[in-house]
C-alpha cells in the first residue's frame, strides 16, 4: 500500500538510545512536516520529512538514529519508531524500512576472507567508532547496519586518475556478509579529535580483513 503523507506539527526530534540507557537528548523542536507509513509485500516504510528544522537544540547527523514525537492536524499525539537521519539540511529527512519476516539482523555473520594488498592504499586519517550501513534500494527507505564500533582509516589509492577515496575498516562487530560489488554503502566515524566524518556512495571492494570501501566512478 502506497503511503500517503500526513501533515504533522509540533515535531520534536530526539536522539535514539537503547532502552537500557535512560538518556534523553532533544535535537529539534517546534518543526512542521509530513509523516508517511506505507507497505510493500512484507516491508513497512516509515518516512518523516520536515518542512523546516524548527529550533535546533543539538547537532543532527546523517547516519545516526533518531525518533520523533508530534501532533497530527487534529491534535492527536504520536511517537515514531526510531529512524535514520537521511538528510540534515534545513529540511531534514528521516526514514526506516522494517522487514516484517526478515531474520534478526543482529545475528553476526563472518564475511568471506579476502587478501588485500595494503600497499595499494594511502592511510590518510584514523577513524574510531565506525558504523557501516547499506542504503536500501528505492522505494525502500533507510538502511541496514553491516558493521558497528569499528576502527580503521580514511584511505586513497596510490595510483589512478582520479585517485579513488574511501575507508578501510579493520575491526568491529559485523552483522552481515560483505560482498565485493555491493553499492549504496555509507560510513561514519570519528577522528582522533572527535570530529564526525561521513562518506557515502561507496562500493565494497573487499569484505575481508580489512574491509575496503571506495567511491568509484561512475556512480
Amino acid at each position: 500500500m502506497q503511503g500517503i503523507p500526513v501533515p504533522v506539527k509540533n515535531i520534536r526530534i530526539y536522539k535514539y538510545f537503547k532502552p537500557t540507557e535512560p538518556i534523553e537528548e532533544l535535537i529539534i523542536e517546534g518543526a512542521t512536516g509530513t509523516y508517511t507509513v506505507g507497505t510493500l509485500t512484507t516491508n513497512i516504510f516509515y518516512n518523516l520529512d520536515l518542512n523546516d528544522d524548527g529550533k535546533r537544540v543539538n547537532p543532527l547527523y546523517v547516519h545516526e538514529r533518531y525518533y520523533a514525537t508530534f501532533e497530527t492536524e487534529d491534535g492527536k499525539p504520536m511517537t515514531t519508531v526510531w529512524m535514520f537521519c537521511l538528510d540534515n539540511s534545513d529540511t531534514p529527512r528521516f526514514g526506516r524500512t522494517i522487514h516484517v519476516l526478515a531474520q534478526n539482523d543482529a545475528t553476526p555473520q563472518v564475511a568471506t576472507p579476502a587478501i588485500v594488498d595494503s600497499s595499494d592504499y594511502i592511510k590518510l586519517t584514523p577513524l574510531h567508532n565506525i558504523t557501516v550501513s547499506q542504503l536500501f534500494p528505492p522505494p525502500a527507505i533507510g538502511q541496514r547496519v553491516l558493521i558497528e564500533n569499528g576502527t580503521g582509516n580514511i584511505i586513497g589509492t596510490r595510483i589512478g586518475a582520479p585517485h579513488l577515496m574511501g575507508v578501510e575498516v579493520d575491526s568491529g562487530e559485523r552483522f552481515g556478509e560483505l560482498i565485493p560489488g555491493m553499492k549504496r554503502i555509507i560510513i561514519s566515524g570519528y577522528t582522533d579529535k572527535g570530529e564526525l566524518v561521513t562518506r557515502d556512495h561507496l562500493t565494497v571492494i573487499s569484505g575481508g580483513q580489512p574491509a575496503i570501501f571506495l567511491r568509484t566512478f561512475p556512480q
Side-chain angles (χ1 to χ4, degrees):
M1 179 184 68
Q2 181 67 37
I4 299 176
V6 176
V8 293
K9 60 185 179 180
N10 296 329
I11 300 172
R12 295 168 68 91
I13 304 294
Y14 295 89
K15 183 175 175 61
Y16 174 80
F17 294 95
K18 295 179 181 179
T20 55
E21 300 176 292
I23 305 172
E24 182 178 279
E25 182 177 326
L26 178 64
I27 306 299
I28 294 174
E29 62 180 354
T32 61
T34 58
Y35 182 58
T36 308
V37 180
T39 60
L40 179 64
T41 61
T42 58
N43 299 321
I44 304 176
F45 305 100
Y46 298 90
N47 194 32
L48 178 64
D49 295 341
L50 304 193
N51 298 330
D52 55 75
D53 61 357
K55 178 184 177 182
R56 293 210 183 190
V57 180
N58 283 296
L60 176 68
Y61 298 109
V62 171
H63 206 197
E64 292 290 333
R65 299 179 183 187
Y66 301 91
Y67 73 95
T69 63
F70 53 73
E71 297 176 5
T72 59
E73 288 189 312
D74 58 3
K76 180 181 178 181
M78 293 186 64
T79 300
T80 69
V81 299
W82 68 258
M83 295 179 285
F84 291 103
C85 175
L86 305 176
D87 180 351
N88 65 349
S89 67
D90 292 339
T91 53
R93 297 174 53 246
F94 305 85
R96 182 182 174 193
T97 297
I98 296 178
H99 300 274
V100 178
L101 301 180
Q103 295 181 346
N104 184 1
D105 288 339
T107 302
Q109 300 180 25
V110 178
T112 303
I115 299 174
V116 175
D117 187 350
S118 59
S119 65
D120 291 340
Y121 304 99
I122 304 171
K123 296 183 179 182
L124 301 174
T125 303
L127 292 179
H128 312 278
N129 195 20
I130 293 173
T131 300
V132 179
S133 297
Q134 183 182 39
L135 298 176
F136 294 133
I141 302 167
Q143 53 199 298
R144 66 187 183 104
V145 177
L146 299 173
I147 300 176
E148 282 189 331
N149 300 319
T151 59
N153 297 276
I154 296 176
I155 59 173
T157 55
R158 292 185 180 277
I159 59 175
H163 294 275
L164 302 181
M165 302 293 292
V167 179
E168 69 167 11
V169 181
D170 51 35
S171 70
E173 186 176 7
R174 299 198 180 199
F175 300 97
E177 187 175 9
L178 298 174
I179 301 173
M182 290 172 59
K183 297 184 180 297
R184 304 184 311 279
I185 303 296
I186 179 171
I187 298 177
S188 62
Y190 290 86
T191 67
D192 290 341
K193 296 181 179 180
E195 299 170 336
L196 177 65
V197 174
T198 301
R199 295 289 184 268
D200 57 7
H201 299 293
L202 301 174
T203 298
V204 178
I205 304 302
S206 167
Q209 296 285 0
I212 302 294
F213 308 86
L214 294 178
R215 189 167 190 176
T216 57
F217 298 92
Q219 292 298 321

